[in-house]
Amino acid sequence: MPEEVGEVLIPSDRIAARVGELGRLLADAYAGREPVVVAIMKGCVLFLADLVRAWGEASQPHVAAMDLEFVSAQSYEGTRPAKVRVTLPEGLETRVAGRPVLVLDDIFDTGRTLSAVCRRIEPLGVAELKTLVLLAKRRAAPREPPIRRPDWVGFEIEDRFVIGYGLDYRGRWRNLPYVAALRQKP
Ligand code: 5GP
Ligand code: MG
């Protein structure tokens, strides 16, 4: 195996505490409204499940009526590095029109994925579009417009490739309960 789990950057108790805070924040932001969470697969599934539960726990009964949708995004490397292909589920438009939408992703790096997804959701007649990411990388190079910044961020992290808590490297390590750096073996 050419690589392995490196330093733990965010232990599970810190993730749980922050997810609890974010749940309370969403309970406030969406009190009495009927938002649709649009999750970008697959990296945010662990975060999504913990977050919506924390949100429900922090909400008064009957004021957290929310629904879930899933979209996928693939970025293409090589000759067209800026190209992100977004796949939306059939009939999404009818389920988000007129409603507040919260786009959820695992990690914000260049920002192309989140921006590309928002560009596809915005024209669907949504009442409001907000974004939340668990992790955002602090980068040396500034992000170019028209990159959309997340409205809410769980943790700012250094610019390293991370795995765990839903994030993979080549299809492995999504089930680590913490966020760790990927260690490349020489
Ligand atoms: P962006 O489009 O912002 O450059 O990257 C966002 C997407 O790239 C994320 O949704 C995620 O799938 C992937 N990604 C970016 N950085 C990392 C990382 O450090 N670890 C993992 N596992 N995926 C990453
Ligand atoms: Mg992703």
Side-chain angles (χ1 to χ4, degrees):
M1 243 170 274
E3 76 288 319
E4 58 182 35
V5 181
E7 185 193 342
V8 174
L9 301 178
I10 314 175
S12 56
D13 57 339
R14 278 189 64 209
I15 296 174
R18 183 66 179 133
V19 169
E21 286 175 6
L22 292 170
R24 291 189 285 279
L25 185 155
L26 295 179
D28 274 354
Y30 293 102
R33 304 166 77 197
E34 300 203 351
V36 180
V37 173
V38 173
I40 306 176
M41 297 310 280
K42 308 182 254 189
C44 72
V45 284
L46 275 72
F47 176 44
L48 170 70
D50 289 343
L51 181 71
V52 298
R53 254 180 304 211
W55 179 357
E57 273 169 14
S59 298
Q60 298 299 314
H62 314 302
V63 295
M66 52 84 70
D67 201 1
L68 275 178
E69 295 285 344
F70 300 97
V71 303
S72 70
Q74 269 100 34
S75 22
Y76 285 88
E77 304 297 328
T79 52
R80 296 163 74 196
K83 199 76 191 152
V84 178
R85 192 176 67 182
V86 177
T87 311
L88 304 182
E90 190 89 6
L92 178 67
E93 185 170 348
T94 60
R95 300 189 297 275
V96 296
R99 295 178 71 173
V101 168
L102 176 66
V103 174
L104 200 70
D105 203 4
D106 51 0
I107 186 163
F108 183 87
D109 182 6
T110 64
R112 286 188 205 118
T113 302
L114 196 67
S115 297
V117 170
C118 288
R119 275 197 299 274
R120 293 289 303 279
I121 305 281
E122 251 160 0
L124 304 183
V126 302
E128 176 192 275
L129 187 58
K130 297 269 193 200
T131 59
L132 165 58
V133 295
L134 175 67
L135 307 169
K137 289 187 192 176
R138 288 188 213 99
R139 291 163 62 91
R143 296 175 176 91
E144 299 293 324
I147 291 303
R148 186 189 172 105
R149 308 279 322 177
D151 293 290
W152 297 297
V153 172
F155 298 93
E156 296 260 0
I157 61 166
E158 53 195 294
D159 191 1
R160 292 164 82 176
F161 194 89
V162 295
I163 52 174
Y165 197 62
L167 291 106
D168 73 311
Y169 178 70
R170 298 190 173 165
R172 303 173 65 215
W173 291 307
R174 289 193 197 275
N175 63 345
L176 297 177
Y178 46 78
V179 173
L182 181 76
R183 182 159 70 210
Q184 302 274 4
K185 285 190 192 163

